[in-house]
Amino acid sequence: MDRIDRSILRELQEDGRLTNLELAQHVGLSASACLRRVRQLEEDGVIQGYRAVIDPAAVGRGFEVLVSIEVRRDRETVEAFEDALRDIPDVIEAHRLFGSPGCLLRIAVADLAAYERLWIERLTSLTGVTEVNSQIIMKRIKEPRGLPVER
């Protein structure tokens, strides 16, 4: 990956709706050369997709919680737990961690009552869960904006 590829990545992370012509102008390439590079970055799996960034409150999910979960650490239990998480749409991020806690979740729901229902009905009943700790997000200070791509 060269300087131009990295420039393409920076531009697309900033605005994934740029037309190919606009992108080409921003990175100093012809439109056809730019399109070839973008397609190659997609084929290589460097660009994994394009998404719209949505205001959580606009879709009734303005209440976010970070949840740390301890799970028994045998292979079957961990795999069952991870499979079950994939089926809970309120869990918008999930990370298995080294050490303790074993798992960190980011959850987006409508309000405290919705989170309490999720906590009681789903989280505490997942296979292997031994502990659930919740931290309610007061204010998001820095939004996810993509990865830093060196020049």
Side-chain angles (χ1 to χ4, degrees):
M1 186 174 333
D2 65 11
R3 177 187 57 79
I4 293 173
D5 288 336
R6 289 189 296 275
S7 183
I8 289 170
L9 295 175
R10 281 191 303 277
E11 293 292 335
L12 287 175
Q13 281 191 122
E14 185 64 32
D15 183 358
R17 292 189 58 148
L18 286 172
T19 67
N20 183 60
L21 182 57
E22 291 168 329
L23 179 59
Q25 290 170 345
H26 286 207
V27 300
L29 290 176
S30 69
S32 60
C34 184
L35 185 58
R36 277 193 303 275
R37 283 180 178 253
V38 170
R39 285 190 176 148
Q40 189 64 56
L41 289 165
E42 291 169 346
E43 287 174 23
D44 292 346
V46 176
I47 296 174
Q48 296 180 346
Y50 300 88
R51 292 173 183 80
V53 178
I54 298 170
D55 174 8
V59 293
R61 293 186 176 272
F63 190 83
E64 290 189 30
V65 184
L66 296 177
V67 179
S68 57
I69 295 185
E70 286 295 346
V71 178
R72 285 193 322 268
R73 297 189 188 219
D74 62 87
R75 183 179 180 156
E76 283 183 27
T77 301
V78 169
E79 288 174 355
F81 170 79
E82 290 177 359
D83 287 343
L85 279 183
R86 289 183 188 95
D87 293 333
I88 303 174
D90 301 319
V91 176
I92 58 174
E93 278 184 66
H95 305 273
R96 186 185 330 155
L97 306 175
F98 288 104
S100 187
C103 190
L104 182 64
L105 311 179
R106 186 170 145 231
I107 292 174
V109 291
D111 53 27
L112 181 60
Y115 177 65
E116 183 180 13
R117 278 190 308 279
L118 176 70
W119 191 90
I120 290 169
E121 295 171 8
R122 303 288 301 269
L123 297 179
T124 59
S125 65
L126 290 171
T127 300
V129 169
T130 60
E131 188 175 337
V132 178
N133 291 299
S134 308
Q135 280 75 53
I136 297 170
I137 296 176
M138 179 187 306
K139 174 183 173 184
R140 194 180 292 194
I141 297 168
K142 184 175 180 181
E143 296 284 332
R145 299 290 301 174
L147 297 171
V149 179
E150 302 301 322
R151 294 195 182 273

